Amino acid sequence: MTQITLRRPDDWHLHLRDGAMLRAVAPESARHFGRAIIMPNLVPPVVTGDQAAAYRDRILAALPEGSAFKPLMTLYLTETTDPDDLARAHGDGLITAVKLYPAGATTNSASGVRDFDRVRPVLERMAEIGCPLCVHGEVVDADIDIFDREAVFIDRVLDPIRRATPGLKVVMEHITTAQGVDYARAGGDRLGATITTHHLVINRNAILVGGIKPHYYCLPVAKREEHRLALRAAATSGDPSFFLGTDSAPHVDPLKESACGCAGCFTATNTLSILAEVFEQEGALDRLEAFTSLNGPRFYGLPAAEDRVTLTKGAPVAYPAKIDTADGAVTVFDPMMPLHWHVTP
Ligand code: DOR
Ligand code: ZN
């Protein structure tokens, strides 16, 4: 196969930031994607409906002239989230989902949840109104090894939440383990999982072998090879539980290349070419559209895109090593392999 046409992909987990960074990275996602779930971990976070509306307007203003890209907004769940404000924002179509960050788990998560019992009433309300919860699934306990944080979260936090509020729709964001794959696969219609592009490509060696490579550091951190293989099997299986959420997360280079570097891989620019390469390697190009364009809208109860993109195989794709922003350069994820799939338009 040298050409494949897909319904226009959506990105079910994306960081666009704000200000100069937003203006630089929004066009990178809008070039190929139709819609994206926009993460609310700004400083300060997007916690109210009014803040989500204002952020949506800033995103729309940052898009290229004539772009049809649709940001699907989220609220950042805190222990003081007002369920009425949330329900109003969801009812008005202003927000598509709510994001749960365990406090301290990742970038700008300080306002997240410490005591999960305190958000029980909000989760009940979300179940009633059909508002999905997107979960950053890592415990933050100092005694849990960072490579075990996802698996422990499933047992100690996620499974109890889902048992207590069975009507709640949950997305396990950016799963990185075979345990995450197994749990998502067995979870039925109300459980989905996003998988990033970079976790299909790198394992933890990419970060640590031959010198420390900060541009491969993200959270949840990439795991052992066996987990990467489980993620590749899940993503390429066609199983509707799994869909693309790039977690493309730009940080300017000085904040990555630092004694205490930020977590995040910036993949918006070359994500689709990388995915085509991965699916081709797995002999699953015919299931790429399910992962990028069908399973996500199905989970969220939204129509699949009507327009299409075409990928054509040819000479290696040229893409920039860095994106310039008024705040500084952002390094584009290097998949450590040539990419041959060109995306049009
Ligand atoms: O690598 C990550 N970067 N993981 C996250 O959970 C947050 C994100 C960010 O905002 O930079
Ligand atoms: Zn993220």
Side-chain angles (χ1 to χ4, degrees), residues 15 17 41 101 106-107 136 174 218-220 247 249 251 263-265:
H15 297 270
R17 315 300 192 202
N41 63 334
Y101 287 106
T106 187
T107 313
H136 183 110
H174 43 53
C218 66
L219 287 170
D247 198 15
H251 295 277
C265 297

